[in-house]
Amino acid sequence: MKLWDIKTGECLKTWEFPTAVKRVAWSDDDNLALCITEQRSGYQGAIRVYEISHEGDCKNQPDEPITEFSPIGSKATVAAFAPLGHEIITGHESGKVALFDAKTGEEIESNERAHSGAVTDLQLSPDGTYFVTSSKDKTARIHDTKNLAVIKTFTTETPLNSACITPLKPYVIVGGGQDARSVTTTSTRSGKFETRFWHRVFEEEVGRVRGHFGPINTIAVHPEGKCFASGGEDGYVRVHWFDDSYFRSRPYGDLEPAD
């Protein structure tokens, strides 16, 4: 895992692990960072939490984590800090979603049936009260951050690799597509290589954006809701800026608050 200065491009710190790093995440105050390492070659998958120093040139970072734990049962595939940074939300290979104490590594809450397939992404809402997950079971779901209950479900025809929540407008954006091994024999249309917009309250699809020629692996939305970026198996990152009609649209009329 590497820490970078985004202004200069300088690498400030490198942490070495015996297996691949599958996910990194920051706490809201930027004082903590976590990573998930792969379960492989006799090593257990682990979640490590580091306290990040902001003093001086930020090159003097701790070598050891303040917390390190391996979730029992299904390995964790994704994770994020809950609001305030006291808990960590995890998604697992079994489809489970869980909540862990960030200091002790103790499991506080779990939903074993959040998904029926591996969880591939987990992103929080702007206020942190709920979060969205995507899964290989071809669904994305919104969960309550406190009790992990499923609030909304968005069902597609293809495995999903990523999902995010848009600020300003009530949408969830999802992306995925047919397995990369089958891409060479599949057309762009039948492979479902599209980002898809769903109304997060009414669970209805409201639009699609094409452009990738392979499965979409990750989606991120601008913090101010101005645009979103998608990264695909085709090797491209596409940045889509919303035009004025997106912000003026009122797809559900009086159900949305007036400007």
Side-chain angles (χ1 to χ4, degrees):
M1 180 173 70
K2 292 179 179 288
L3 178 68
W4 300 84
D5 187 317
I6 60 174
K7 291 184 178 180
T8 65
E10 180 183 6
C11 182
L12 304 175
K13 175 70 176 180
T14 299
W15 290 271
E16 297 282 354
F17 307 109
T19 59
V21 176
K22 306 299 290 184
R23 184 82 169 195
V24 296
W26 287 94
S27 62
D28 290 339
D29 60 8
D30 293 340
N31 289 328
L32 299 174
L34 69 78
C35 69
I36 299 177
T37 51
E38 181 65 282
Q39 178 177 313
R40 189 173 296 169
S41 303
Y43 294 97
Q44 290 293 317
I47 296 175
R48 295 174 174 87
V49 179
Y50 290 85
E51 190 168 17
I52 303 300
S53 171
H54 299 282
E55 296 181 359
D57 57 10
C58 298
K59 291 183 178 180
N60 186 24
Q61 300 295 335
D63 293 323
E64 299 299 323
I66 59 173
T67 306
E68 179 178 346
F69 62 95
S70 297
I72 299 174
S74 177
K75 69 179 182 181
T77 52
V78 294
F81 283 100
L84 304 180
H86 300 314
E87 294 93 23
I88 296 170
I89 309 169
T90 59
H92 295 251
E93 191 174 55
S94 65
K96 167 185 172 180
V97 169
L99 192 66
F100 289 86
D101 187 296
K103 289 186 177 180
T104 66
E106 179 184 358
E107 186 175 297
I108 302 169
E109 191 74 59
S110 70
N111 182 348
E112 299 287 345
R113 299 182 179 180
H115 286 281
S116 60
V119 180
T120 54
D121 197 8
L122 188 159
Q123 298 191 37
L124 270 76
S125 65
D127 64 3
T129 58
Y130 58 95
F131 62 94
V132 65
T133 55
S134 61
S135 172
K136 292 297 185 183
D137 68 4
K138 304 181 181 180
T139 68
R141 287 178 170 163
I142 288 179
H143 312 257
D144 185 283
T145 300
K146 283 189 176 181
N147 58 26
L148 308 182
V150 175
I151 301 172
K152 298 290 180 180
T153 299
F154 314 97
T155 304
T156 70
E157 313 83 37
T158 185
L160 296 178
N161 297 327
S162 190
C164 65
I165 297 168
T166 62
L168 304 181
K169 288 293 182 177
Y171 302 134
V172 167
I173 310 176
V174 304
Q178 185 175 323
D179 190 277
R181 291 173 293 183
S182 305
V183 169
T184 54
T185 58
T186 305
S187 70
T188 301
R189 183 181 297 274
S190 61
K192 305 293 184 181
F193 309 138
E194 305 161 320
T195 49
R196 304 171 67 169
F197 285 69
W198 293 74
H199 196 289
R200 66 172 179 259
V201 176
F202 297 101
E203 300 171 280
E204 296 179 5
E205 187 175 358
V206 297
R208 300 187 184 190
V209 177
R210 295 176 180 170
H212 284 287
F213 296 94
I216 295 169
N217 291 333
T218 186
I219 300 173
V221 67
H222 191 285
E224 296 178 3
K226 298 177 179 179
C227 64
F228 75 95
S230 57
E233 195 73 20
D234 56 8
Y236 287 91
V237 174
R238 299 176 62 88
V239 181
H240 306 264
W241 292 86
F242 298 126
D243 57 26
D244 290 340
S245 63
Y246 170 85
F247 299 103
R248 293 198 307 267
S249 66
R250 297 172 62 83
Y252 293 93
D254 294 337
L255 293 177
E256 291 190 13
D259 293 336

